[in-house]
Amino acid sequence: MLLLGRLVAGIGVGFALMIAPVYSAELSPARIRGSLVSLTEVFINFGILLGYLVSFSLEGLPVKYNWRLMLGVGMFPAILLAAGVLIMPESPRWLVTQRRSNEAREILIKTSNGDASEANLRLAEILQAVGFPDSVDPTKDPTPEEYNSAFGKIKQQGEGVWRELLLTPTPALRRMLIFALGLHFFQQACGIDAAVYYSPVVFGEAGVHSKLGKLGATVGVGFCKFIFIFVATFLLDHVGRKPLLITSASGVTLCLFMLGMAFILLGINTTEGDTLVSVNTARKAASASGAGAGITIFAICAYVALFSIGFGPVAWVFISEIFPLRVRAQAVALCVVMNRFVSGTVALTFLSISQAITPAGTFFLYGGIVFLSIIFFAVFMPETRGKTLEELALFFEGRRSSTTADPQKPIQEKPA
């Protein structure tokens, strides 16, 4: 029953992870898109923190009740989301593809703070991306003839997209997929889910032995992760995506190596069964000291904090920005599959890898992977700050530089 429930919940989580960043990006003005899309990660981490707090608060109940209540209260956010979806407006880009430009214009005016000129500019960019000529008038609803002329022989929405993505991608689309899939691989291959899932085990071996103490330290990790997501939210549209990613990856690398060294120095460097155990009794006593627990807790908190200012939000912002309208939903779905596959692999293999190469070796392994990501980001990743979704499509086609384009200037080129 637990596995069946996890399967159903996983489908819902998959939809949410795919739709939330795309929807936010398509509804947001370019100048604040990063901050708004990063709210997805903010509230994911708020939910994780709430989960920790619920676990902590229910610890005193009999065991046959506490874990059931812990799982059961998760239905309340789901009910709120179901009710909220009923009053959410549709994506203006999707409405244009459905020949409902008037509705798209009304939504864009609302999300442009009532500024009709900005809304018309955004609508003109969408119309041009769909295939209308540069001279299109965004203040008027196109006629059926203009729609037919603009769409031409374009395939129906969604038809042939998987073939285009997986078998015959254009050079521009191939670049987008490499960047996006690589980013989501590195986001999870850094071992963040292992740190979240197994932090009570790690804290226990570092000297925090009471169940409430372990839960309390885990709540602290969740609180730290949640707070630093806000730092990223404020910096994304001021500093840029690429600098935050490189800073985050560099800090995560240092923290992972710090964790590995701490495990060696404190003697927490062998495994037995499903838990981590220390090398000998003397070192066990050392790890049980306040210093041992403090070093481990600090390293993990710093790790999740630095993850949260870059890796966490930027991965979702990036994939919501770079893909063209026709393939956006399916391309983001591929990135979500990559993200969840690597996440599940890390979570399922953490204890086994720790047993094979020691816990310190496991954190060194994760650190090495994140170090490779720094090179990937520095050499290959483009900056997307302040660019409209249509300008980014042009950049990947090699038709306009993403570093020189004026984000406030209307696009005069028609995308292929």
Side-chain angles (χ1 to χ4, degrees), residues 103-133:
E103 294 177 52
R105 186 183 303 106
E106 292 173 3
I107 292 171
L108 287 169
I109 289 174
K110 291 179 180 178
T111 58
S112 299
N113 205 24
D115 187 341
S117 60
E118 179 180 341
N120 287 331
L121 173 61
R122 292 169 64 191
L123 182 57
E125 293 170 348
I126 295 170
L127 291 169
Q128 291 170 26
V130 170
F132 284 85

PDB file of all heavy atoms in Angstrom, residues 103-133:
ATOM      1  N   GLU A 103      -7.764  36.260 -25.082  1.00  0.00           N
ATOM      2  CA  GLU A 103      -7.628  35.802 -23.701  1.00  0.00           C
ATOM      3  C   GLU A 103      -6.181  35.929 -23.232  1.00  0.00           C
ATOM      4  O   GLU A 103      -5.912  36.304 -22.083  1.00  0.00           O
ATOM      5  CB  GLU A 103      -8.084  34.345 -23.592  1.00  0.00           C
ATOM      6  CG  GLU A 103      -9.568  34.128 -23.858  1.00  0.00           C
ATOM      7  CD  GLU A 103      -9.942  32.663 -23.799  1.00  0.00           C
ATOM      8  OE1 GLU A 103      -9.607  32.015 -22.780  1.00  0.00           O
ATOM      9  OE2 GLU A 103     -10.548  32.155 -24.757  1.00  0.00           O
ATOM     10  N   ALA A 104      -5.246  35.624 -24.146  1.00  0.00           N
ATOM     11  CA  ALA A 104      -3.833  35.754 -23.796  1.00  0.00           C
ATOM     12  C   ALA A 104      -3.494  37.206 -23.462  1.00  0.00           C
ATOM     13  O   ALA A 104      -2.763  37.486 -22.501  1.00  0.00           O
ATOM     14  CB  ALA A 104      -2.961  35.256 -24.945  1.00  0.00           C
ATOM     15  N   ARG A 105      -4.033  38.142 -24.243  1.00  0.00           N
ATOM     16  CA  ARG A 105      -3.767  39.568 -24.004  1.00  0.00           C
ATOM     17  C   ARG A 105      -4.303  39.993 -22.641  1.00  0.00           C
ATOM     18  O   ARG A 105      -3.642  40.734 -21.904  1.00  0.00           O
ATOM     19  CB  ARG A 105      -4.400  40.409 -25.108  1.00  0.00           C
ATOM     20  CG  ARG A 105      -4.052  41.903 -25.036  1.00  0.00           C
ATOM     21  CD  ARG A 105      -4.766  42.712 -26.111  1.00  0.00           C
ATOM     22  NE  ARG A 105      -4.456  42.217 -27.434  1.00  0.00           N
ATOM     23  CZ  ARG A 105      -5.301  41.522 -28.195  1.00  0.00           C
ATOM     24  NH1 ARG A 105      -6.529  41.236 -27.744  1.00  0.00           N
ATOM     25  NH2 ARG A 105      -4.952  41.102 -29.391  1.00  0.00           N
ATOM     26  N   GLU A 106      -5.499  39.549 -22.289  1.00  0.00           N
ATOM     27  CA  GLU A 106      -6.080  39.919 -20.989  1.00  0.00           C
ATOM     28  C   GLU A 106      -5.223  39.413 -19.830  1.00  0.00           C
ATOM     29  O   GLU A 106      -4.994  40.132 -18.850  1.00  0.00           O
ATOM     30  CB  GLU A 106      -7.493  39.343 -20.894  1.00  0.00           C
ATOM     31  CG  GLU A 106      -8.488  39.985 -21.867  1.00  0.00           C
ATOM     32  CD  GLU A 106      -9.829  39.266 -21.855  1.00  0.00           C
ATOM     33  OE1 GLU A 106      -9.983  38.313 -21.054  1.00  0.00           O
ATOM     34  OE2 GLU A 106     -10.720  39.649 -22.648  1.00  0.00           O
ATOM     35  N   ILE A 107      -4.727  38.188 -19.957  1.00  0.00           N
ATOM     36  CA  ILE A 107      -3.885  37.628 -18.890  1.00  0.00           C
ATOM     37  C   ILE A 107      -2.557  38.371 -18.815  1.00  0.00           C
ATOM     38  O   ILE A 107      -2.051  38.679 -17.726  1.00  0.00           O
ATOM     39  CB  ILE A 107      -3.663  36.125 -19.130  1.00  0.00           C
ATOM     40  CG1 ILE A 107      -4.984  35.378 -18.931  1.00  0.00           C
ATOM     41  CG2 ILE A 107      -2.587  35.568 -18.194  1.00  0.00           C
ATOM     42  CD1 ILE A 107      -4.953  33.934 -19.344  1.00  0.00           C
ATOM     43  N   LEU A 108      -1.965  38.705 -19.957  1.00  0.00           N
ATOM     44  CA  LEU A 108      -0.692  39.420 -19.977  1.00  0.00           C
ATOM     45  C   LEU A 108      -0.836  40.818 -19.377  1.00  0.00           C
ATOM     46  O   LEU A 108       0.085  41.313 -18.707  1.00  0.00           O
ATOM     47  CB  LEU A 108      -0.148  39.501 -21.398  1.00  0.00           C
ATOM     48  CG  LEU A 108       0.401  38.191 -21.973  1.00  0.00           C
ATOM     49  CD1 LEU A 108       0.664  38.323 -23.461  1.00  0.00           C
ATOM     50  CD2 LEU A 108       1.670  37.783 -21.230  1.00  0.00           C
ATOM     51  N   ILE A 109      -1.964  41.460 -19.579  1.00  0.00           N
ATOM     52  CA  ILE A 109      -2.188  42.781 -18.973  1.00  0.00           C
ATOM     53  C   ILE A 109      -2.226  42.650 -17.454  1.00  0.00           C
ATOM     54  O   ILE A 109      -1.634  43.453 -16.727  1.00  0.00           O
ATOM     55  CB  ILE A 109      -3.503  43.404 -19.508  1.00  0.00           C
ATOM     56  CG1 ILE A 109      -3.331  43.816 -20.976  1.00  0.00           C
ATOM     57  CG2 ILE A 109      -3.905  44.619 -18.670  1.00  0.00           C
ATOM     58  CD1 ILE A 109      -4.614  44.301 -21.635  1.00  0.00           C
ATOM     59  N   LYS A 110      -2.893  41.607 -16.963  1.00  0.00           N
ATOM     60  CA  LYS A 110      -2.959  41.404 -15.514  1.00  0.00           C
ATOM     61  C   LYS A 110      -1.581  41.124 -14.937  1.00  0.00           C
ATOM     62  O   LYS A 110      -1.228  41.621 -13.860  1.00  0.00           O
ATOM     63  CB  LYS A 110      -3.902  40.243 -15.195  1.00  0.00           C
ATOM     64  CG  LYS A 110      -5.370  40.535 -15.478  1.00  0.00           C
ATOM     65  CD  LYS A 110      -6.235  39.316 -15.161  1.00  0.00           C
ATOM     66  CE  LYS A 110      -7.702  39.588 -15.448  1.00  0.00           C
ATOM     67  NZ  LYS A 110      -8.548  38.374 -15.188  1.00  0.00           N
ATOM     68  N   THR A 111      -0.786  40.311 -15.631  1.00  0.00           N
ATOM     69  CA  THR A 111       0.530  39.949 -15.105  1.00  0.00           C
ATOM     70  C   THR A 111       1.598  40.993 -15.435  1.00  0.00           C
ATOM     71  O   THR A 111       2.755  40.836 -15.038  1.00  0.00           O
ATOM     72  CB  THR A 111       0.980  38.576 -15.650  1.00  0.00           C
ATOM     73  OG1 THR A 111       1.011  38.617 -17.078  1.00  0.00           O
ATOM     74  CG2 THR A 111       0.031  37.492 -15.182  1.00  0.00           C
ATOM     75  N   SER A 112       1.220  42.044 -16.163  1.00  0.00           N
ATOM     76  CA  SER A 112       2.127  43.177 -16.417  1.00  0.00           C
ATOM     77  C   SER A 112       1.740  44.369 -15.558  1.00  0.00           C
ATOM     78  O   SER A 112       2.063  45.516 -15.889  1.00  0.00           O
ATOM     79  CB  SER A 112       2.101  43.564 -17.901  1.00  0.00           C
ATOM     80  OG  SER A 112       2.528  42.506 -18.718  1.00  0.00           O
ATOM     81  N   ASN A 113       1.017  44.106 -14.495  1.00  0.00           N
ATOM     82  CA  ASN A 113       0.606  45.150 -13.554  1.00  0.00           C
ATOM     83  C   ASN A 113      -0.266  46.207 -14.230  1.00  0.00           C
ATOM     84  O   ASN A 113      -0.182  47.403 -13.930  1.00  0.00           O
ATOM     85  CB  ASN A 113       1.835  45.812 -12.915  1.00  0.00           C
ATOM     86  CG  ASN A 113       1.526  46.424 -11.562  1.00  0.00           C
ATOM     87  OD1 ASN A 113       0.574  46.012 -10.897  1.00  0.00           O
ATOM     88  ND2 ASN A 113       2.300  47.409 -11.162  1.00  0.00           N
ATOM     89  N   GLY A 114      -1.102  45.756 -15.183  1.00  0.00           N
ATOM     90  CA  GLY A 114      -2.011  46.659 -15.864  1.00  0.00           C
ATOM     91  C   GLY A 114      -1.394  47.461 -16.979  1.00  0.00           C
ATOM     92  O   GLY A 114      -2.066  48.305 -17.584  1.00  0.00           O
ATOM     93  N   ASP A 115      -0.119  47.253 -17.299  1.00  0.00           N
ATOM     94  CA  ASP A 115       0.575  47.997 -18.340  1.00  0.00           C
ATOM     95  C   ASP A 115       0.267  47.369 -19.696  1.00  0.00           C
ATOM     96  O   ASP A 115       0.861  46.357 -20.079  1.00  0.00           O
ATOM     97  CB  ASP A 115       2.078  47.992 -18.069  1.00  0.00           C
ATOM     98  CG  ASP A 115       2.849  48.901 -19.016  1.00  0.00           C
ATOM     99  OD1 ASP A 115       2.298  49.252 -20.083  1.00  0.00           O
ATOM    100  OD2 ASP A 115       4.003  49.247 -18.699  1.00  0.00           O
ATOM    101  N   ALA A 116      -0.656  47.985 -20.446  1.00  0.00           N
ATOM    102  CA  ALA A 116      -1.080  47.417 -21.729  1.00  0.00           C
ATOM    103  C   ALA A 116       0.046  47.408 -22.751  1.00  0.00           C
ATOM    104  O   ALA A 116       0.141  46.483 -23.573  1.00  0.00           O
ATOM    105  CB  ALA A 116      -2.277  48.192 -22.274  1.00  0.00           C
ATOM    106  N   SER A 117       0.919  48.429 -22.725  1.00  0.00           N
ATOM    107  CA  SER A 117       2.012  48.477 -23.700  1.00  0.00           C
ATOM    108  C   SER A 117       2.992  47.328 -23.491  1.00  0.00           C
ATOM    109  O   SER A 117       3.443  46.694 -24.454  1.00  0.00           O
ATOM    110  CB  SER A 117       2.744  49.818 -23.609  1.00  0.00           C
ATOM    111  OG  SER A 117       3.296  50.000 -22.312  1.00  0.00           O
ATOM    112  N   GLU A 118       3.315  47.036 -22.236  1.00  0.00           N
ATOM    113  CA  GLU A 118       4.206  45.894 -21.962  1.00  0.00           C
ATOM    114  C   GLU A 118       3.525  44.587 -22.338  1.00  0.00           C
ATOM    115  O   GLU A 118       4.155  43.688 -22.905  1.00  0.00           O
ATOM    116  CB  GLU A 118       4.590  45.870 -20.483  1.00  0.00           C
ATOM    117  CG  GLU A 118       5.503  44.703 -20.127  1.00  0.00           C
ATOM    118  CD  GLU A 118       5.885  44.664 -18.658  1.00  0.00           C
ATOM    119  OE1 GLU A 118       5.744  45.710 -17.981  1.00  0.00           O
ATOM    120  OE2 GLU A 118       6.318  43.599 -18.193  1.00  0.00           O
ATOM    121  N   ALA A 119       2.244  44.473 -22.050  1.00  0.00           N
ATOM    122  CA  ALA A 119       1.514  43.258 -22.395  1.00  0.00           C
ATOM    123  C   ALA A 119       1.492  43.050 -23.903  1.00  0.00           C
ATOM    124  O   ALA A 119       1.675  41.934 -24.395  1.00  0.00           O
ATOM    125  CB  ALA A 119       0.086  43.331 -21.850  1.00  0.00           C
ATOM    126  N   ASN A 120       1.291  44.139 -24.662  1.00  0.00           N
ATOM    127  CA  ASN A 120       1.270  44.031 -26.122  1.00  0.00           C
ATOM    128  C   ASN A 120       2.643  43.649 -26.661  1.00  0.00           C
ATOM    129  O   ASN A 120       2.746  42.896 -27.642  1.00  0.00           O
ATOM    130  CB  ASN A 120       0.809  45.342 -26.739  1.00  0.00           C
ATOM    131  CG  ASN A 120      -0.683  45.577 -26.550  1.00  0.00           C
ATOM    132  OD1 ASN A 120      -1.460  44.615 -26.464  1.00  0.00           O
ATOM    133  ND2 ASN A 120      -1.089  46.829 -26.449  1.00  0.00           N
ATOM    134  N   LEU A 121       3.695  44.172 -26.042  1.00  0.00           N
ATOM    135  CA  LEU A 121       5.047  43.802 -26.459  1.00  0.00           C
ATOM    136  C   LEU A 121       5.290  42.311 -26.234  1.00  0.00           C
ATOM    137  O   LEU A 121       5.809  41.608 -27.118  1.00  0.00           O
ATOM    138  CB  LEU A 121       6.074  44.623 -25.675  1.00  0.00           C
ATOM    139  CG  LEU A 121       7.549  44.245 -25.859  1.00  0.00           C
ATOM    140  CD1 LEU A 121       7.960  44.407 -27.313  1.00  0.00           C
ATOM    141  CD2 LEU A 121       8.427  45.081 -24.948  1.00  0.00           C
ATOM    142  N   ARG A 122       4.900  41.819 -25.071  1.00  0.00           N
ATOM    143  CA  ARG A 122       5.075  40.394 -24.776  1.00  0.00           C
ATOM    144  C   ARG A 122       4.227  39.536 -25.708  1.00  0.00           C
ATOM    145  O   ARG A 122       4.677  38.478 -26.182  1.00  0.00           O
ATOM    146  CB  ARG A 122       4.707  40.117 -23.319  1.00  0.00           C
ATOM    147  CG  ARG A 122       5.678  40.735 -22.314  1.00  0.00           C
ATOM    148  CD  ARG A 122       5.134  40.664 -20.895  1.00  0.00           C
ATOM    149  NE  ARG A 122       4.977  39.292 -20.450  1.00  0.00           N
ATOM    150  CZ  ARG A 122       4.321  38.945 -19.342  1.00  0.00           C
ATOM    151  NH1 ARG A 122       3.745  39.879 -18.589  1.00  0.00           N
ATOM    152  NH2 ARG A 122       4.227  37.686 -18.983  1.00  0.00           N
ATOM    153  N   LEU A 123       3.004  39.989 -26.009  1.00  0.00           N
ATOM    154  CA  LEU A 123       2.149  39.232 -26.915  1.00  0.00           C
ATOM    155  C   LEU A 123       2.723  39.218 -28.329  1.00  0.00           C
ATOM    156  O   LEU A 123       2.666  38.194 -29.025  1.00  0.00           O
ATOM    157  CB  LEU A 123       0.737  39.821 -26.920  1.00  0.00           C
ATOM    158  CG  LEU A 123      -0.295  39.092 -27.792  1.00  0.00           C
ATOM    159  CD1 LEU A 123      -0.408  37.625 -27.391  1.00  0.00           C
ATOM    160  CD2 LEU A 123      -1.656  39.778 -27.706  1.00  0.00           C
ATOM    161  N   ALA A 124       3.294  40.349 -28.763  1.00  0.00           N
ATOM    162  CA  ALA A 124       3.904  40.400 -30.090  1.00  0.00           C
ATOM    163  C   ALA A 124       5.045  39.395 -30.202  1.00  0.00           C
ATOM    164  O   ALA A 124       5.210  38.719 -31.235  1.00  0.00           O
ATOM    165  CB  ALA A 124       4.411  41.819 -30.377  1.00  0.00           C
ATOM    166  N   GLU A 125       5.851  39.279 -29.146  1.00  0.00           N
ATOM    167  CA  GLU A 125       6.954  38.315 -29.155  1.00  0.00           C
ATOM    168  C   GLU A 125       6.435  36.883 -29.252  1.00  0.00           C
ATOM    169  O   GLU A 125       6.998  36.044 -29.963  1.00  0.00           O
ATOM    170  CB  GLU A 125       7.800  38.499 -27.899  1.00  0.00           C
ATOM    171  CG  GLU A 125       8.557  39.821 -27.860  1.00  0.00           C
ATOM    172  CD  GLU A 125       9.199  40.085 -26.512  1.00  0.00           C
ATOM    173  OE1 GLU A 125       8.869  39.352 -25.540  1.00  0.00           O
ATOM    174  OE2 GLU A 125      10.017  41.002 -26.418  1.00  0.00           O
ATOM    175  N   ILE A 126       5.341  36.613 -28.529  1.00  0.00           N
ATOM    176  CA  ILE A 126       4.765  35.272 -28.577  1.00  0.00           C
ATOM    177  C   ILE A 126       4.226  34.975 -29.969  1.00  0.00           C
ATOM    178  O   ILE A 126       4.456  33.896 -30.532  1.00  0.00           O
ATOM    179  CB  ILE A 126       3.640  35.138 -27.528  1.00  0.00           C
ATOM    180  CG1 ILE A 126       4.219  35.257 -26.113  1.00  0.00           C
ATOM    181  CG2 ILE A 126       2.909  33.809 -27.686  1.00  0.00           C
ATOM    182  CD1 ILE A 126       3.166  35.382 -25.026  1.00  0.00           C
ATOM    183  N   LEU A 127       3.522  35.933 -30.549  1.00  0.00           N
ATOM    184  CA  LEU A 127       2.960  35.744 -31.890  1.00  0.00           C
ATOM    185  C   LEU A 127       4.047  35.503 -32.923  1.00  0.00           C
ATOM    186  O   LEU A 127       3.914  34.659 -33.811  1.00  0.00           O
ATOM    187  CB  LEU A 127       2.117  36.965 -32.276  1.00  0.00           C
ATOM    188  CG  LEU A 127       0.805  37.148 -31.499  1.00  0.00           C
ATOM    189  CD1 LEU A 127       0.196  38.513 -31.780  1.00  0.00           C
ATOM    190  CD2 LEU A 127      -0.193  36.040 -31.839  1.00  0.00           C
ATOM    191  N   GLN A 128       5.161  36.251 -32.799  1.00  0.00           N
ATOM    192  CA  GLN A 128       6.265  36.058 -33.736  1.00  0.00           C
ATOM    193  C   GLN A 128       6.901  34.685 -33.557  1.00  0.00           C
ATOM    194  O   GLN A 128       7.275  34.030 -34.534  1.00  0.00           O
ATOM    195  CB  GLN A 128       7.301  37.157 -33.543  1.00  0.00           C
ATOM    196  CG  GLN A 128       6.825  38.540 -33.993  1.00  0.00           C
ATOM    197  CD  GLN A 128       7.776  39.643 -33.572  1.00  0.00           C
ATOM    198  OE1 GLN A 128       8.964  39.405 -33.387  1.00  0.00           O
ATOM    199  NE2 GLN A 128       7.251  40.856 -33.414  1.00  0.00           N
ATOM    200  N   ALA A 129       7.008  34.235 -32.304  1.00  0.00           N
ATOM    201  CA  ALA A 129       7.592  32.916 -32.050  1.00  0.00           C
ATOM    202  C   ALA A 129       6.723  31.801 -32.624  1.00  0.00           C
ATOM    203  O   ALA A 129       7.230  30.779 -33.088  1.00  0.00           O
ATOM    204  CB  ALA A 129       7.776  32.706 -30.552  1.00  0.00           C
ATOM    205  N   VAL A 130       5.396  32.013 -32.599  1.00  0.00           N
ATOM    206  CA  VAL A 130       4.479  31.023 -33.143  1.00  0.00           C
ATOM    207  C   VAL A 130       4.562  30.980 -34.666  1.00  0.00           C
ATOM    208  O   VAL A 130       4.387  29.925 -35.276  1.00  0.00           O
ATOM    209  CB  VAL A 130       3.039  31.321 -32.682  1.00  0.00           C
ATOM    210  CG1 VAL A 130       2.030  30.468 -33.431  1.00  0.00           C
ATOM    211  CG2 VAL A 130       2.925  31.076 -31.183  1.00  0.00           C
ATOM    212  N   GLY A 131       4.875  32.120 -35.296  1.00  0.00           N
ATOM    213  CA  GLY A 131       5.005  32.123 -36.747  1.00  0.00           C
ATOM    214  C   GLY A 131       4.353  33.290 -37.450  1.00  0.00           C
ATOM    215  O   GLY A 131       4.344  33.352 -38.679  1.00  0.00           O
ATOM    216  N   PHE A 132       3.802  34.256 -36.703  1.00  0.00           N
ATOM    217  CA  PHE A 132       3.213  35.437 -37.325  1.00  0.00           C
ATOM    218  C   PHE A 132       4.320  36.360 -37.821  1.00  0.00           C
ATOM    219  O   PHE A 132       5.447  36.347 -37.299  1.00  0.00           O
ATOM    220  CB  PHE A 132       2.327  36.174 -36.323  1.00  0.00           C
ATOM    221  CG  PHE A 132       0.999  35.506 -36.077  1.00  0.00           C
ATOM    222  CD1 PHE A 132       0.882  34.491 -35.135  1.00  0.00           C
ATOM    223  CD2 PHE A 132      -0.120  35.875 -36.794  1.00  0.00           C
ATOM    224  CE1 PHE A 132      -0.323  33.864 -34.905  1.00  0.00           C
ATOM    225  CE2 PHE A 132      -1.346  35.255 -36.574  1.00  0.00           C
ATOM    226  CZ  PHE A 132      -1.447  34.253 -35.632  1.00  0.00           C
ATOM    227  N   PRO A 133       4.042  37.215 -38.822  1.00  0.00           N
ATOM    228  CA  PRO A 133       5.069  38.132 -39.329  1.00  0.00           C
ATOM    229  C   PRO A 133       5.423  39.204 -38.309  1.00  0.00           C
ATOM    230  O   PRO A 133       4.693  39.442 -37.340  1.00  0.00           O
ATOM    231  CB  PRO A 133       4.404  38.746 -40.571  1.00  0.00           C
ATOM    232  CG  PRO A 133       2.939  38.613 -40.322  1.00  0.00           C
ATOM    233  CD  PRO A 133       2.776  37.323 -39.564  1.00  0.00           C
TER     234      PRO A 133
END
